[in-house]
């Protein structure tokens, strides 16, 4: 998906298929909970590899088995298709933990 600013309708349509995600302070936000610290960190490393390959990086914070994620496109100061793509990939990887 493109690095262009999404409309409110496009964001809402994407959110309908991203359980647990919401717009918070203008960013795509979700609080993930894993079974353990190891599971949380393992997921973060897998996400980091994908994020770096795509040159699109999350803002996130980890405490034990929880990871709070905020996605937005700094270059645009907005949510873009690349944030949706990263959120979808995070979901895909979280399902395989
Ligand atoms: N990640 C995110 N989330 N948003 C960006 O705008 C962004 C990024 N820009 N990763 C990239 C890197 C930019 O800083 C480099 C120069 O391409």
């Amino acid at each position: 998906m493109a690095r262009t600013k999404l409309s409110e309708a496009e964001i809402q349509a994407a959110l309908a298929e991203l359980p647990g995600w919401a717009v918070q302070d203008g960013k795509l936000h979700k609080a993930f909970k894993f079974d353990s610290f190891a599971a949380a960190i393992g997921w973060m490393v897998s996400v980091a590899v994908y994020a770096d390959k795509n040159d699109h990086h999350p803002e996130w914070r980890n405490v034990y088995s929880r990871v709070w994620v905020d996605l937005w496109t700094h270059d645009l100061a907005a949510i873009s298709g690349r944030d949706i793509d990263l959120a979808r990939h995070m979901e895909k990887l979280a399902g395989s933990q």
Side-chain angles (χ1 to χ4, degrees), residues 3 55-58 72-75 83:
R3 193 186 222 137
D55 193 30
H56 201 67
H57 303 86
W72 80 321
T73 301
H74 319 136
D75 300 2
D83 299 303

PDB file of all heavy atoms in Angstrom, residues 3 55-58 72-75 83, ligand 1:
ATOM      1  N   ARG A   3       2.449   5.170   0.293  1.00  0.00           N
ATOM      2  CA  ARG A   3       2.809   6.121   1.333  1.00  0.00           C
ATOM      3  C   ARG A   3       2.075   7.436   1.061  1.00  0.00           C
ATOM      4  O   ARG A   3       2.694   8.479   0.883  1.00  0.00           O
ATOM      5  CB  ARG A   3       4.325   6.338   1.291  1.00  0.00           C
ATOM      6  CG  ARG A   3       4.897   7.052   2.478  1.00  0.00           C
ATOM      7  CD  ARG A   3       6.377   7.316   2.228  1.00  0.00           C
ATOM      8  NE  ARG A   3       7.153   7.058   3.416  1.00  0.00           N
ATOM      9  CZ  ARG A   3       8.309   6.412   3.433  1.00  0.00           C
ATOM     10  NH1 ARG A   3       8.857   5.983   2.332  1.00  0.00           N
ATOM     11  NH2 ARG A   3       8.946   6.229   4.561  1.00  0.00           N
ATOM     12  N   ASP A  55      11.348  -0.345   5.269  1.00  0.00           N
ATOM     13  CA  ASP A  55      11.673   1.025   5.669  1.00  0.00           C
ATOM     14  C   ASP A  55      10.460   1.748   6.249  1.00  0.00           C
ATOM     15  O   ASP A  55      10.166   2.891   5.921  1.00  0.00           O
ATOM     16  CB  ASP A  55      12.273   1.803   4.478  1.00  0.00           C
ATOM     17  CG  ASP A  55      12.904   3.116   4.923  1.00  0.00           C
ATOM     18  OD1 ASP A  55      13.378   3.170   6.074  1.00  0.00           O
ATOM     19  OD2 ASP A  55      12.912   4.073   4.143  1.00  0.00           O
ATOM     20  N   HIS A  56       9.734   1.018   7.104  1.00  0.00           N
ATOM     21  CA  HIS A  56       8.584   1.624   7.776  1.00  0.00           C
ATOM     22  C   HIS A  56       8.544   1.062   9.188  1.00  0.00           C
ATOM     23  O   HIS A  56       8.287  -0.124   9.377  1.00  0.00           O
ATOM     24  CB  HIS A  56       7.293   1.327   7.012  1.00  0.00           C
ATOM     25  CG  HIS A  56       6.216   2.299   7.354  1.00  0.00           C
ATOM     26  ND1 HIS A  56       6.289   3.631   7.019  1.00  0.00           N
ATOM     27  CD2 HIS A  56       5.057   2.158   8.034  1.00  0.00           C
ATOM     28  CE1 HIS A  56       5.217   4.246   7.462  1.00  0.00           C
ATOM     29  NE2 HIS A  56       4.463   3.389   8.084  1.00  0.00           N
ATOM     30  N   HIS A  57       8.769   1.923  10.164  1.00  0.00           N
ATOM     31  CA  HIS A  57       9.098   1.473  11.522  1.00  0.00           C
ATOM     32  C   HIS A  57       8.027   1.848  12.547  1.00  0.00           C
ATOM     33  O   HIS A  57       7.499   2.961  12.501  1.00  0.00           O
ATOM     34  CB  HIS A  57      10.446   2.070  11.934  1.00  0.00           C
ATOM     35  CG  HIS A  57      11.555   1.701  10.969  1.00  0.00           C
ATOM     36  ND1 HIS A  57      11.810   2.424   9.827  1.00  0.00           N
ATOM     37  CD2 HIS A  57      12.415   0.671  10.965  1.00  0.00           C
ATOM     38  CE1 HIS A  57      12.822   1.854   9.173  1.00  0.00           C
ATOM     39  NE2 HIS A  57      13.203   0.788   9.852  1.00  0.00           N
ATOM     40  N   PRO A  58       7.752   0.931  13.470  1.00  0.00           N
ATOM     41  CA  PRO A  58       6.730   1.223  14.490  1.00  0.00           C
ATOM     42  C   PRO A  58       7.267   2.074  15.644  1.00  0.00           C
ATOM     43  O   PRO A  58       8.470   2.058  15.941  1.00  0.00           O
ATOM     44  CB  PRO A  58       6.361  -0.176  14.999  1.00  0.00           C
ATOM     45  CG  PRO A  58       7.601  -0.987  14.812  1.00  0.00           C
ATOM     46  CD  PRO A  58       8.294  -0.429  13.598  1.00  0.00           C
ATOM     47  N   TRP A  72       2.233   5.440  12.479  1.00  0.00           N
ATOM     48  CA  TRP A  72       1.885   6.532  11.591  1.00  0.00           C
ATOM     49  C   TRP A  72       3.085   6.818  10.710  1.00  0.00           C
ATOM     50  O   TRP A  72       4.178   6.250  10.914  1.00  0.00           O
ATOM     51  CB  TRP A  72       1.379   7.780  12.335  1.00  0.00           C
ATOM     52  CG  TRP A  72       2.425   8.673  12.936  1.00  0.00           C
ATOM     53  CD1 TRP A  72       3.578   8.290  13.563  1.00  0.00           C
ATOM     54  CD2 TRP A  72       2.404  10.095  12.958  1.00  0.00           C
ATOM     55  NE1 TRP A  72       4.257   9.395  14.002  1.00  0.00           N
ATOM     56  CE2 TRP A  72       3.571  10.511  13.638  1.00  0.00           C
ATOM     57  CE3 TRP A  72       1.517  11.066  12.491  1.00  0.00           C
ATOM     58  CZ2 TRP A  72       3.864  11.864  13.840  1.00  0.00           C
ATOM     59  CZ3 TRP A  72       1.807  12.399  12.696  1.00  0.00           C
ATOM     60  CH2 TRP A  72       2.964  12.789  13.361  1.00  0.00           C
ATOM     61  N   THR A  73       2.874   7.655   9.713  1.00  0.00           N
ATOM     62  CA  THR A  73       3.920   7.945   8.744  1.00  0.00           C
ATOM     63  C   THR A  73       4.466   9.326   9.054  1.00  0.00           C
ATOM     64  O   THR A  73       3.804  10.336   8.795  1.00  0.00           O
ATOM     65  CB  THR A  73       3.347   7.830   7.312  1.00  0.00           C
ATOM     66  OG1 THR A  73       2.851   6.494   7.160  1.00  0.00           O
ATOM     67  CG2 THR A  73       4.409   8.100   6.261  1.00  0.00           C
ATOM     68  N   HIS A  74       5.649   9.359   9.650  1.00  0.00           N
ATOM     69  CA  HIS A  74       6.230  10.631  10.101  1.00  0.00           C
ATOM     70  C   HIS A  74       6.353  11.615   8.947  1.00  0.00           C
ATOM     71  O   HIS A  74       6.081  12.810   9.110  1.00  0.00           O
ATOM     72  CB  HIS A  74       7.633  10.420  10.691  1.00  0.00           C
ATOM     73  CG  HIS A  74       7.773   9.201  11.543  1.00  0.00           C
ATOM     74  ND1 HIS A  74       8.832   8.339  11.478  1.00  0.00           N
ATOM     75  CD2 HIS A  74       6.940   8.697  12.489  1.00  0.00           C
ATOM     76  CE1 HIS A  74       8.668   7.351  12.346  1.00  0.00           C
ATOM     77  NE2 HIS A  74       7.531   7.547  12.981  1.00  0.00           N
ATOM     78  N   ASP A  75       6.795  11.072   7.797  1.00  0.00           N
ATOM     79  CA  ASP A  75       7.018  11.918   6.623  1.00  0.00           C
ATOM     80  C   ASP A  75       5.768  12.729   6.260  1.00  0.00           C
ATOM     81  O   ASP A  75       5.874  13.840   5.734  1.00  0.00           O
ATOM     82  CB  ASP A  75       7.404  11.065   5.406  1.00  0.00           C
ATOM     83  CG  ASP A  75       8.681  10.258   5.622  1.00  0.00           C
ATOM     84  OD1 ASP A  75       9.247  10.329   6.731  1.00  0.00           O
ATOM     85  OD2 ASP A  75       9.108   9.560   4.698  1.00  0.00           O
ATOM     86  N   ASP A  83       1.068   2.109   7.010  1.00  0.00           N
ATOM     87  CA  ASP A  83       0.728   1.792   8.403  1.00  0.00           C
ATOM     88  C   ASP A  83      -0.277   0.647   8.453  1.00  0.00           C
ATOM     89  O   ASP A  83      -0.185  -0.231   9.317  1.00  0.00           O
ATOM     90  CB  ASP A  83       0.186   3.039   9.105  1.00  0.00           C
ATOM     91  CG  ASP A  83       1.218   4.146   9.125  1.00  0.00           C
ATOM     92  OD1 ASP A  83       2.320   3.912   9.643  1.00  0.00           O
ATOM     93  OD2 ASP A  83       0.943   5.232   8.581  1.00  0.00           O
TER      94      ASP A  83
HETATM   95  N1  LIG B   1       8.661   4.768   9.569  1.00  0.00           N
HETATM   96  C1  LIG B   1       7.477   5.314   9.780  1.00  0.00           C
HETATM   97  N2  LIG B   1       6.601   4.720  10.581  1.00  0.00           N
HETATM   98  N3  LIG B   1       7.155   6.472   9.195  1.00  0.00           N
HETATM   99  C2  LIG B   1       7.982   7.116   8.371  1.00  0.00           C
HETATM  100  O1  LIG B   1       7.649   8.166   7.847  1.00  0.00           O
HETATM  101  C3  LIG B   1       9.245   6.539   8.126  1.00  0.00           C
HETATM  102  C4  LIG B   1       9.558   5.320   8.776  1.00  0.00           C
HETATM  103  N4  LIG B   1      10.103   7.101   7.313  1.00  0.00           N
HETATM  104  N5  LIG B   1      10.751   4.768   8.618  1.00  0.00           N
HETATM  105  C5  LIG B   1      11.314   6.487   6.920  1.00  0.00           C
HETATM  106  C6  LIG B   1      11.819   5.449   7.888  1.00  0.00           C
HETATM  107  C7  LIG B   1      12.294   7.626   6.683  1.00  0.00           C
HETATM  108  O2  LIG B   1      12.692   8.204   7.886  1.00  0.00           O
HETATM  109  C8  LIG B   1      13.494   7.186   5.872  1.00  0.00           C
HETATM  110  C9  LIG B   1      14.397   8.352   5.617  1.00  0.00           C
HETATM  111  O3  LIG B   1      13.043   6.608   4.691  1.00  0.00           O
END
